[in-house]
Amino acid sequence: MFRKILVANRGEIAMRVIRACRELNIATAAIYAECDATAIYVKKANEAYLVGPGPLQGFLDAEQIVGLAKRIGADAIHPGYGFLSEQAPFAELCQQAGITFIGPFPHTLALLGDKVKARELAKKIGVPVVPGTDGPVRSVEEALAFCRSVGYPVMVKASAGGGGRGLRVARSDEELVAAMESGAREAQAAFGNAELFIEKFIERPHHIEFQLLADLDGYVVHLGERDCSIQRRHQKLIEIAPSLVLTPRLRAEMGEAAIALARAAHFHNAGTVEFLLDQDGRYYFIEMNPRIQVEHTVTEQITAVDIVQSQIWIAAGRPLMFGQHEVSLQGYAIQCRINAEDPQNGFRPSSGKITAYLSPGGIGVRIDGAVYKDYTVPPYYDALLAKLTVRGRTWNETVRRTHRSLEEFVLRGVKTTIPFMMKIMEEPDFRAGRFDTSYLDTHPELYNYEHVREPEDLVAALSAAIAAYEGL
Ligand code: ADP
Ligand code: ADP
Ligand code: MG
């Protein structure tokens, strides 16, 4: 087993990896930027190293990170999500330095990081994909011809895209031409690759994704699915497990398809195969994410499998310890992304000092947090402050418990998604399980809420008093 893991990430996911390592008795080294020297994960790691220059460069500088790992005697690197987690050259650099990259091999990363190639692989092995162009589109004429043949609306996608970026819906020839132009520009700037392809736009689908674990012997299991249909601008806000709409037969079939894809890609690590499920119950592969995902927590809560520890075991060469028939899904789980964003102002990011913090607790409540009272939220990173994951025996119980937990949650000083999440937990369609990816656009009433709530003020005052007392 590894002796020391360098965690090449920050915030809640760095904390998540550090927790897994602690339980496995593996030492951890964190990296941080100057603006984040007081972050929780920096304090909780066994060692911490300043990387730079500036707030971002250090997390993206493969040579610096691998050099550091060698210098401090780390035998593995956990990339978390985002940053370098899907970069084949980074995995290759690790390999050359004799350091284990906790993720798939470079050629698998390169394959899956290219949505066009991943689609081709799915097609080759008989997994349905969204009707789309055969490979990248090379000219506007080619794009127009395709769209006229399948009909609008369509979605223009960046081959190298991710994180909900590089996606554009077009409903006419004019919109298509505009989407191609701005899409290519954005893709070049964001991913260093302007290649685009086009898919038919599926109306009101569910986003259903399967969590996989695959070991180095080629053994693959799935841990069931998540429904991540509650999205804003193609970015997930709330994730649930299991789906409320999959039948056991469909679950088995889609799970098999996901496993077949992982095998065909020679994949090992924890990974996710994403599908769209349309209103007629047909499913289509959209992409595979070869890394840990933000929403892995809901699967952990209903399967009791530690996915991050599994990643580490797998990277260390240990075969999976259980088979598909031993995976059972117990109850329901809901994850709310507590972001430093203001939903009432177009989800504008909010940074600054946290003036009060008290996380909820009680039965079925899990917090994966990265902040505390007096921590200053830097403006440079994505807005995720904490993840609230709640489990219950039934869907209704889980929704009610999530609402209760959000009500308890005190987080002051920055605007957060907490009140908006509470509105969703109160909303009849959500409570009845009637939602798809159009949910937020079709429920404008969710944005009507008041900010200041008195019971929270009382709890905040109490928590400050307790903190002051403990500090004596
Ligand atoms: P997904 O939406 O694919 O499920 P997650 O919700 O797990 O991904 O988010 C992973 C994080 O990594 C997010 O912060 C997302 O913005 C970021 N991310 C993922 N892929 C990319 C990419 N290709 N470029 C930039 N950021 C990315
Ligand atoms: P990313 O790599 O940014 O996560 P995805 O291809 O996974 O991009 O798509 C993100 C989201 O965009 C999906 O969850 C879905 O809501 C929407 N989406 C993607 N492709 C389509 C499509 N063909 N039709 C309708 N919605 C789509
Ligand atoms: Mg995706």
Side-chain angles (χ1 to χ4, degrees), residues 170-383:
R171 296 183 183 273
S172 64
D173 284 359
E174 294 73 50
E175 284 184 18
L176 177 73
V177 173
M180 294 278 297
E181 268 174 28
S182 63
R185 233 180 302 118
E186 186 195 350
Q188 183 63 46
F191 315 117
N193 176 353
E195 196 176 281
L196 302 174
F197 68 106
I198 303 177
E199 283 179 355
K200 177 105 185 113
F201 182 73
I202 309 288
E203 301 277 5
R204 308 180 61 117
H206 281 258
H207 172 114
I208 304 283
E209 57 180 41
F210 277 75
Q211 176 69 56
L212 301 179
L213 290 176
D215 70 19
L216 277 159
D217 298 333
Y219 190 70
V220 193
V221 297
H222 76 76
L223 302 179
E225 79 286 354
R226 299 183 279 259
D227 186 323
C228 313
S229 300
I230 309 286
Q231 303 180 351
R232 175 183 175 264
R233 299 206 177 147
H234 316 302
Q235 289 178 359
K236 301 158 187 166
L237 267 181
I238 292 178
E239 298 94 342
I240 72 169
S243 152
L244 300 167
V245 295
L246 276 202
T247 58
R249 217 210 66 209
L250 204 48
R251 174 174 298 122
E253 192 180 324
M254 292 172 76
E256 275 303 308
I259 287 173
L261 253 159
R263 287 221 179 91
H266 304 289
F267 177 78
H268 76 278
N269 186 28
T272 302
V273 177
E274 298 189 336
F275 298 98
L276 297 180
L277 180 68
D278 73 12
Q279 295 285 328
D280 301 319
R282 283 175 302 217
Y283 65 89
Y284 311 90
F285 167 77
I286 50 171
E287 67 158 342
M288 178 164 179
N289 290 320
R291 55 169 164 85
I292 192 73
Q293 272 185 303
V294 175
E295 61 272 23
H296 72 279
T297 54
V298 286
T299 302
E300 290 186 330
Q301 294 311 100
I302 64 159
T303 60
V305 172
D306 185 322
I307 297 170
V308 175
Q309 283 193 10
S310 304
Q311 280 190 289
I312 297 171
W313 281 115
I314 288 167
R318 178 159 134 171
L320 277 174
M321 295 288 283
F322 54 88
Q324 189 63 57
H325 60 283
E326 286 163 275
V327 176
S328 71
L329 313 182
Q330 299 282 328
Y332 288 86
I334 298 177
Q335 175 183 269
C336 296
R337 298 192 189 203
I338 312 299
N339 295 335
E341 288 173 341
D342 181 5
Q344 290 174 325
N345 276 299
F347 285 80
R348 198 169 53 201
S350 172
S351 57
K353 190 168 174 171
I354 293 181
T355 52
Y357 182 85
L358 184 66
S359 59
I363 181 168
V365 179
R366 165 177 175 176
I367 298 285
D368 289 75
V371 301
Y372 55 92
K373 182 179 176 302
D374 294 335
Y375 171 72
T376 300
V377 182
Y380 314 105
Y381 308 105
D382 71 19

Side-chain angles (χ1 to χ4, degrees), residues 342 344 407 409-416 418-420 422 448-460:
D342 181 5
Q344 290 174 325
E407 212 168 35
F409 215 138
V410 178
L411 209 167
R412 288 287 169 77
V414 294
K415 293 265 170 62
T416 75
I418 292 172
F420 183 67
M422 280 181 65
N448 297 328
Y449 55 82
E450 299 288 327
H451 260 287
V452 182
R453 305 182 68 259
E454 249 179 302
E456 283 186 5
D457 287 336
L458 180 62
V459 181

